[in-house]
Amino acid sequence: MSDQPSAHSQALFKAGLAAEAKHNYLEALSNYTASLEAGASQLQTWLKIGHLFLRTMKYQQAAETMEFVLGMDPSSIEAIYGLAIAYFYLGRHEEACAFIDHAAEMQPDNATYALDRANIHSIAKPDPASKRQLYAEWGQRFADSLGKLAQPFDYDRAPDRTLRIGYVSGDMRDHAVAYFMEPVLAHHDAAQVDVFVYSTSPHQDAVTDKLKKLVPHWHDVSKLSDQALHTLIRQHKIDILVDLSGHTQGHRLFTFARRAAPVQVTWLGYVGGTLGMQEMDYRLTDWSMDPAGSEQFYVEKLFRLNCMASYIPPANAPLEPLPPMLQGNPPTLASLNSSRKLTDEALLVWKRILEARPEVQLLIHVQEQSAEDAVNTIEPRLVRLEMPLDRIIISPMVPMDEFMTRGQIVDIALDSFPVSGGTTTLHSLWMGLPVIAMDATDAVAASSAAILKGLGLQEWVASSEDDYVSKVLNLLDAPEQLTAYRARARQLMQHSTLMDYAGRCHDLETAYRQLWLNYLLGKPKFLGVHTPYTEDLQQLRSAYEERQGQTI
C-alpha cells in the first residue's frame, strides 16, 4: 500500500487551508481532521491543527498537539515554537523560555522567533537590563540595517510652523489604544498640528468610524507593504511619526526602521520596555512610569509628559453604589487582567488571601473566548498550586458592555504582578473597584501603581507580598471604605489629569514642538514638557528668516 496521501485526503487538506485563510477555523479543523482519517500527511496536518488551536486560544489543546508532533519529529522547529507559545499562555514560563530559546537558536535569522524570545523572557523574567539586551539584539539583527539606506529630508525647517503628525496603529478600533487616542484626536489644535492616521489593521468597527470623523487625513494602509507605507509617509512629508503599537499585532516597525520621518516616536501601544531600534528616536512617557535612572533600560531617549495618557471610559458603564458583599453576596475578589499576565507568584499570594478568608471567592477573567477554553487553560495551573477550585470562578472574555458590569459582582480588584495592568486598571477604578497593586520601578510592572499614585490612591499600592495580602484583608474587613470609594470614584477620575483632555493634548503638542526643535538643533536638548524652549524657538526662527532672506 502506498505511503503517499490519497487524492481525497489532499483535497480535504486543501479545503482546510482555504477555510483557514477565510478565518473559518471550525470548518478548517473539520477538514484537517477528516484528511487525517483519509490518509493525509500526519506531521504536516497535525501541525496545522496545532496552529489552529493557538489561533483560537485553545492553549491546552495546542500544547498537547505540538507535544504529539514533537514525538513524531523531535527536530520540528514549528512544533518547538508552537510549544513555546502554548506553554507561555498556560503559565508554564520556564518551559516556554527554554523552547523559545531553542527555536531562536535553530533559526537565528527568524525575526519572529527572536522577537517572541524577547517578549516571553520580558514577561517571564521582567529584568529591565536583560530586557533591553534582548530587544536591542533583535533591533541590531533585523531592523537597524534598514535605516542605513534612508535618504535625507528636505522639509521646510521653520521652527514654529504647523507640524505634520502621523499616527501609525493597528488598533484604531474597539481596543484599549482607541480609548486613549479618542480624546487626543478630538482635542488637537489644527493651528499646531495637521494630523494623519495610518491604520494598519483590516478590521474596522463603529469605533473606527467614530475616530475617522476626528482626523483630517485617514489612510487605511492594511494592504501596503512596509516599504510602500514608508514611501507614502515620505510623500506626505510627515514631520513626526508616532508608533502606537510597539511590539504588538499590526505594528509597522520596519517602516520606522527605514526612517520614514525626521522624528520618530513610540507611545502608548507597548509599555513592555524598549523597542530596541536605533531609528526610534523617543519614547513618550512620564515620571511615574519611568522614574529617574530608567534611561539605561531604553535604546530610545525618554521624553516625559506630565501624564503619559488620557483616559476615556466606555460609554456603557453602570456604577453600582453598593459593593456586592453588602448585598448578601460572598465577598468577591477579581483578577480582570489578561491571564497571560498571571504569574505563579501572584496566584500564590492570592491563595494566601483565600486561605485567610474561607468565605471569599475569586473571579479570574481570562482572554479565551469560551468557558471551556478558559477552564482548560487556567485550571491545571490552579490545581498545581493547590488553590481552592470550589471558590474560584473562571470567566472567558466577554463583550465590553458586560465587562464594565463586573463592579456589580466584584468587591475588590487584584492587580497582577510583576506584569501589571493598564487600561484594565482604569476600567476597574471607573467601575468603583479598589485595585490592590504591587509597587515597582520598571514600566511594565509599575503601570497600575503609577495610576493609583497619580489619583492619590497610594494606600492601595503594596510594598511587598505581605503588604499586598494585608491591604486586601483590611479592605475586606472595612466594607464602608468600599462604599465610600464607589461614591467618589468617577468624580475623582474626572477631576484628575487622566481626564483633562485639553490639558493632556496641549502637553502632547508641546512635546511635538520640542521634539521638532531637537531635530532642528541636531541634539536632544528638550526631554520634558517643563523645559523652557521659547528662547531657542526665537533664535531658530531668526536664523530661519535670515536664511530665507539670503535665498530671495
Side-chain angles (χ1 to χ4, degrees):
M1 190 172 189
S2 173
D3 292 332
Q4 294 298 316
S6 67
H8 179 50
S9 69
Q10 289 178 326
L12 287 169
F13 185 81
K14 290 179 180 178
L17 292 175
E20 187 174 355
K22 296 177 182 178
H23 306 292
N24 296 328
Y25 299 133
L26 187 60
E27 181 183 339
L29 181 61
S30 177
N31 281 306
Y32 288 145
T33 304
S35 75
L36 282 171
E37 296 172 352
S41 169
Q42 293 279 317
L43 186 68
Q44 190 61 31
T45 306
W46 279 113
L47 274 173
K48 284 292 183 185
I49 291 172
H51 286 305
L52 268 183
F53 285 143
L54 285 175
R55 294 183 73 170
T56 54
M57 295 188 288
K58 299 178 183 292
Y59 298 116
Q60 186 61 38
Q61 294 96 319
E64 292 168 357
T65 303
M66 293 302 186
E67 287 167 352
F68 179 66
V69 171
L70 210 58
M72 289 191 285
D73 179 8
S75 66
S76 171
I77 183 68
E78 291 183 74
I80 291 168
Y81 173 72
L83 273 174
I85 303 301
Y87 286 160
F88 172 70
Y89 281 101
L90 289 170
R92 297 166 63 175
H93 289 165
E94 187 172 339
E95 293 165 287
C97 288
F99 274 92
I100 196 63
D101 286 347
H102 190 22
E105 289 167 2
M106 290 177 71
Q107 288 192 2
D109 295 329
N110 189 308
T112 299
Y113 293 175
L115 182 56
D116 280 336
R117 179 172 181 255
N119 290 337
I120 289 173
H121 275 273
S122 69
I123 290 180
K125 305 169 185 176
D127 171 63
S130 174
K131 193 185 309 181
R132 184 193 191 283
Q133 179 181 350
L134 285 167
Y135 282 115
E137 287 175 359
W138 172 85
Q140 290 162 9
R141 298 195 59 188
F142 302 103
D144 293 348
S145 61
L146 297 173
K148 296 176 182 178
L149 304 175
Q151 297 297 309
F153 298 93
D154 59 353
Y155 298 176
D156 180 359
R157 294 176 66 87
D160 51 358
R161 66 173 172 83
T162 301
L163 295 173
R164 296 164 76 87
I165 307 298
Y167 293 109
V168 184
S169 176
D171 302 315
M172 292 296 183
R173 50 192 171 82
D174 186 9
H175 186 276
V177 168
Y179 288 109
F180 290 114
M181 285 304 296
E182 182 182 339
V184 171
L185 299 176
H187 287 81
H188 264 317
D189 181 356
Q192 294 295 321
V193 295
D194 191 14
V195 177
F196 293 68
V197 165
Y198 302 95
S199 178
T200 68
S201 172
H203 304 295
Q204 300 188 10
D205 54 26
V207 174
T208 309
D209 295 337
K210 186 177 183 180
L211 295 177
K212 281 183 178 180
K213 296 175 182 177
L214 303 174
V215 177
H217 312 287
W218 184 284
H219 299 274
D220 178 354
V221 298
S222 58
K223 295 181 180 179
L224 295 186
S225 67
D226 293 328
Q227 180 60 55
L229 177 56
H230 173 272
T231 300
L232 179 65
I233 292 168
R234 284 266 185 157
Q235 289 173 350
H236 290 161
K237 292 185 176 292
I238 298 300
D239 300 307
I240 299 176
L241 192 64
V242 185
D243 157 59
L244 297 174
S245 294
H247 289 302
T248 65
Q249 188 174 7
H251 77 76
R252 288 304 186 89
L253 294 182
F254 292 120
T255 294
F256 285 82
R258 288 171 166 83
R259 180 54 71 174
V263 180
Q264 300 192 148
V265 181
T266 186
W267 183 43
L268 285 182
Y270 186 75
V271 298
T274 183
L275 300 186
M277 296 168 48
Q278 293 295 330
E279 297 299 328
M280 192 65 74
D281 303 310
Y282 300 95
R283 169 187 169 92
L284 295 182
T285 183
D286 59 33
W287 288 102
S288 295
M289 288 294 292
D290 288 295
S294 300
E295 286 79 1
Q296 63 183 309
F297 304 128
Y298 292 92
V299 173
E300 310 89 341
K301 295 176 181 64
L302 300 183
F303 187 102
R304 291 183 175 88
L305 305 165
N306 285 314
C307 180
M308 184 175 174
S310 296
Y311 170 66
I312 185 167
N316 299 315
L319 177 64
E320 173 58 50
L322 278 180
M325 64 187 293
L326 291 183
Q327 300 182 50
N329 298 302
T332 302
L333 311 174
S335 165
L336 300 176
N337 294 334
S338 168
S339 56
R340 73 181 181 85
K341 296 181 178 181
L342 297 189
T343 60
D344 287 357
E345 183 181 356
L347 288 169
L348 288 171
V349 169
W350 299 347
K351 177 184 176 182
R352 289 173 56 189
I353 296 168
L354 294 175
E355 289 174 342
R357 292 289 191 277
E359 75 280 9
V360 171
Q361 59 186 13
L362 171 64
L363 169 68
I364 298 180
H365 188 275
V366 299
Q367 75 267 22
E368 284 73 26
Q369 301 288 338
S370 72
E372 180 183 2
D373 291 338
V375 170
N376 286 338
T377 295
I378 195 70
E379 190 171 273
R381 295 181 64 190
L382 305 180
V383 170
R384 175 170 54 82
L385 297 175
E386 299 182 341
M387 296 185 71
L389 296 183
D390 59 325
R391 290 192 283 135
I392 296 177
I393 305 163
I394 300 171
S395 168
M397 184 180 291
V398 297
M400 182 57 71
D401 285 357
E402 182 179 348
F403 180 83
M404 293 305 295
T405 65
R406 291 304 196 209
Q408 298 174 1
I409 60 174
V410 173
D411 296 286
I412 302 168
L414 305 178
D415 191 40
S416 53
F417 62 89
V419 183
S420 73
T423 307
T424 301
T425 297
L426 292 167
H427 286 340
S428 300
L429 293 168
W430 187 255
M431 289 183 226
L433 296 177
V435 178
I436 303 301
M438 192 72 76
D439 205 0
T441 54
D442 178 46
V444 71
S447 181
S448 292
I451 290 169
L452 293 170
K453 291 175 184 177
L455 290 169
L457 299 171
Q458 54 269 10
E459 69 270 20
W460 296 340
V461 178
S463 59
S464 65
E465 292 184 0
D466 288 345
D467 192 31
Y468 190 108
V469 172
S470 177
K471 288 182 182 299
V472 176
L473 296 181
N474 288 340
L475 276 177
L476 287 170
D477 291 338
E480 68 281 358
Q481 292 184 26
L482 306 182
T483 304
Y485 175 68
R486 287 177 181 243
R488 69 187 184 99
R490 297 198 171 175
Q491 187 177 36
L492 175 68
M493 295 185 72
Q494 287 166 340
H495 291 168
S496 73
T497 57
L498 287 165
M499 297 183 73
D500 174 12
Y501 304 138
R504 298 288 64 71
C505 199
H506 179 266
D507 279 354
L508 188 61
E509 290 167 355
T510 298
Y512 291 155
R513 183 64 57 188
Q514 291 175 299
L515 294 178
W516 180 244
L517 296 185
N518 283 348
Y519 171 70
L520 297 179
L521 290 167
K523 59 182 179 181
K525 181 174 181 178
F526 304 107
L527 293 174
V529 290
H530 291 300
T531 307
Y533 66 95
T534 304
E535 184 177 339
D536 291 85
L537 179 61
Q538 291 173 345
Q539 290 175 356
L540 285 166
R541 181 66 199 178
S542 297
Y544 174 79
E545 291 174 346
E546 183 177 343
R547 288 194 302 272
Q548 293 297 102
Q550 291 173 353
T551 59
I552 294 175

